[in-house]
Every structure is written in structure tokens, then in C-alpha cells.
Amino acid sequence: MKVPAELSGGTLAFVHGLSVTYVTDGVSPVRALDQATIQIKPGELLGILGESGSGKSTLAGALLRLLPSDARYDSGSIRLRDRDVLTLTEAELRRVRGAEIALIPQDPALALNPVIAVGVQIAEVLRAHIRLSTSQRKIRVEELLAEVGFDQPRQIYSAYPHQLSGGQRQRVVIAQAIVCRPALIIADEPTSKLDASLQEEILSLMREIGQRHQTAFVMISHDPAVLAGFADRIAVMYAGRVVEEGTTEDIFRRPLHPYTQALVRLSARYLSSTGARMRFPAIEGEPPVVTRQTAGCPFAPRCPERMQVCIERDPQETAPQPSQRVSCFKYGN
């Protein structure tokens, strides 16, 4: 996947060959990202799919340069428009976060300050980036609260997080993320703590925001069913690598990588039509914790289609069709 040349007109952000290792005293280093590459287009809804430990949340944190202090960037770059995020100073990052790229966190109850009214917390993001009077900020925030679905935005402005339901808190952090109209929003498992009906409402809201304002979303999820109804395109991660990428239709109708095929099977959550008890499908084995680099495909120990070459060499990326790329020896290499 080539892009740079100061980023082609169809690219908002480009992560190229990014490797990140967590280095903690007394513990073996863990390679969380291994040469990960993704392209994000303006206004696109991109899903990042993988099991826990696949590197998807590390990728999300890296895009915002919000990884913990024990994270080491080993190689690669993160281009946002014409800048490399990895070379920005802390002052430059403060100007970018919230204004150009924002985060919708997994747990709003932890992200929101419990002793400050939610409207004031949203207004603080505005204050950091846009010169407005206090009254202008309040009007803007109330308009935004109405936009994300609140019937009584004035009352919500003055409410504290504990006075709101889980779904309401989720709408508040969405409002906080979009208040400065950033071009890119990272949503890290934003519906994982909501029931099914609320999940659908929040996904619909984010999709609507993306279409209305041409905002790009990167949605992180371990659940293929969540991404099926949200994303235009999906990148599948395993052991810190992007092992397959394609349109949502490609991924669900024509999955190529054995890992993707297994995830898609898992998303077909059904019991037999007879009502008899049956085991839910599962991927045999456990995801690896990559503490050292070894030859071979990281999925090989769990792969039902494993070949000798899979444990001897790293698969290289191939593009069996223009809209789909995969790293698997079944398709060349």
C-alpha cells in the first residue's frame, strides 16, 4: 500500500509500518504493533477488528499519541494530513487533539469528571481551541447536545455524570468529541458497555454524524456484528499486524485470511433451528503475546490450513483484488 507523496488527495491519515513495543522493568518486552499499515480517507467509516491483545487499542492510542510511558515507538510513521504525529511536540499535540483528531472512550463513566457538569466539560474543549465568549460556548454546547439526541439540552448541560444513564453519558462523550468538528474521530469500543438497543442507537448516531459533517471514524471493536452495521471498510488485526483489509462486504462475504474467516463464523450467533443445545463456535487456541520476533505467520499455531511455509517465513501482503489485501500464503507470496 503506497500513499505518502505528501498524502494523496484521497487520504486523511496514513499509518505506515508502525511498530510499538511495551517495555516494562522486570518483564519481557511485548511487541503490540508489528509493521501495521492503514489508510484513512476523509469521511470514511473504518473498522478495526480483532480479539483482545491484537493491537487494535494500541493503534488507536498511537494515532492520538496517548500511549503510556512504557510504550516505545520502534519504527514507522503516522501522517495526519501533512504532518507526522510522531514528531509533534507536546504543545503541537494539544492543538491537534480535540480540534483535528478526537477520541470517544470506551467507558464514559471513567472519562468524565464526576464533580463537573457535563456541559462545562464539553465547553472546556471548545475553550481550548476556539475563541468564543462564555455565553457563546454555552449556546454552542446546548445546540450540540440537541444534535446528539437530547430533548432537553439545557437540563443536560447542568447535569453531573452520575445523574445520567449509560446511554446518555455515551452521547455526552460523543458531543465532547465532535464539538470542534475534527476531521477524524477514534471510537474505542464505544458500545461495549451498552445493551443491544442502545448499541444500535449510538452506532446510528455516529454514522449520521459522519455523513452530515464528513467526519472520518475509526471504530475499534472485537465484535464483527458491531462493525457490520457501521463500517465502510474493515482492517483485521492479529498479533499486532493487519492481516486483512477490505470493504465490509468483502470481509463478510468473501473473507480471505483463515483468521478473518473464523471471526466471521463467530459473528453468526445462532442456535440450531431445533432448539437443541450446541457449543458456540470458537477459535481454537489463544492469541499470542509477542515477546520476541520469530519467523512465520503468527496465526499458524491456530490455523486449520497451516502449511510448512507458514512456520518458516513471514507472509507478505498481496492484493487478490483491488479492494482487498491480505497477508497469507494461500494467495501467493
Side-chain angles (χ1 to χ4, degrees):
M1 177 190 285
K2 296 179 181 177
V3 170
E6 291 325 303
L7 291 203
S8 65
T11 300
L12 170 63
F14 186 65
V15 178
H16 182 254
L18 187 64
S19 295
V20 173
T21 301
Y22 290 107
V23 182
T24 307
D25 290 343
V27 179
S28 297
V30 174
R31 175 65 70 94
L33 289 180
D34 188 2
Q35 295 291 312
T37 296
I38 61 165
Q39 178 188 9
I40 305 164
K41 301 172 185 176
E44 145 172 89
L45 306 178
L46 174 66
I48 307 292
L49 176 64
E51 296 170 283
S52 295
S54 63
K56 55 191 190 299
S57 289
T58 294
L59 178 60
L63 280 164
L64 288 146
R65 277 274 302 275
L66 285 176
L67 293 180
S69 59
D70 61 350
R72 183 184 70 204
Y73 294 90
D74 296 319
S75 65
S77 61
I78 303 171
R79 304 286 298 182
L80 179 64
R81 293 195 171 115
D82 59 346
R83 289 163 296 178
D84 187 346
V85 173
L86 297 184
T87 66
L88 298 181
T89 66
E90 201 56 46
E92 290 170 329
L93 283 169
R94 284 195 294 271
R95 289 195 291 271
V96 167
R97 294 183 192 128
E100 297 181 49
I101 180 171
L103 174 70
I104 298 174
Q106 183 172 2
D107 191 345
L110 294 178
L112 293 170
N113 190 318
V115 297
I116 300 176
V118 296
V120 175
Q121 295 187 57
I122 298 170
E124 279 299 298
V125 181
L126 263 182
R127 190 169 71 88
H129 297 287
I130 300 173
R131 186 169 295 180
L132 294 171
S133 67
T134 302
S135 60
Q136 287 173 324
R137 283 198 297 270
K138 185 171 184 181
I139 290 169
R140 175 75 188 96
V141 171
E142 288 177 356
E143 290 172 346
L144 196 62
L145 289 170
E147 182 181 336
V148 298
F150 288 109
D151 295 328
Q152 298 178 308
R154 286 187 179 180
Q155 286 88 327
I156 296 297
Y157 184 101
S158 303
Y160 291 86
H162 72 273
Q163 296 173 315
L164 303 178
S165 68
Q168 288 175 320
R169 286 194 293 264
Q170 193 67 60
R171 290 177 189 274
V172 166
V173 293
I174 291 173
Q176 194 172 41
I178 68 171
V179 67
C180 292
R181 300 289 181 229
L184 176 60
I185 293 177
I186 313 299
D188 189 6
E189 303 262 16
T191 63
S192 62
K193 297 185 181 298
L194 303 177
D195 61 39
S197 62
L198 280 175
Q199 269 192 10
E200 186 54 45
E201 284 183 27
I202 295 300
L203 291 173
S204 177
L205 172 63
M206 290 192 294
R207 192 172 186 91
E208 195 178 296
I209 289 166
Q211 292 169 345
R212 185 185 305 138
H213 302 294
Q214 272 299 289
T215 304
F217 277 81
V218 174
M219 167 80 80
I220 309 295
S221 184
H222 65 278
D223 187 347
V226 167
L227 297 182
F230 178 80
D232 303 319
R233 195 160 53 92
I234 294 174
V236 180
M237 293 194 68
Y238 187 81
R241 305 181 187 184
V242 177
V243 297
E244 183 170 355
E245 183 185 316
T247 66
T248 301
E249 183 178 9
D250 287 336
I251 295 299
F252 281 90
R253 294 194 176 184
R254 296 174 294 275
L256 300 177
H257 197 283
Y259 178 61
T260 309
Q261 292 168 356
L263 289 175
V264 171
R265 283 196 300 272
L266 292 178
S267 70
R269 300 166 179 164
Y270 59 86
L271 295 173
S272 70
S273 57
T274 62
R277 285 182 177 273
M278 58 183 291
R279 283 185 62 191
F280 282 103
I283 304 174
E284 295 296 328
E286 295 291 331
V289 176
V290 184
T291 56
R292 60 190 178 90
Q293 285 191 290
T294 57
C297 172
F299 189 61
R302 305 171 74 188
C303 183
E305 301 177 62
R306 180 175 64 246
M307 301 178 284
Q308 184 61 30
V309 68
C310 299
I311 60 176
E312 294 175 344
R313 291 195 289 120
D314 285 350
Q316 301 302 304
E317 181 185 294
T318 59
Q321 54 187 11
S323 63
Q324 203 164 6
R325 61 186 179 107
V326 64
S327 297
C328 180
F329 287 108
K330 289 169 59 182
Y331 306 97
N333 281 276

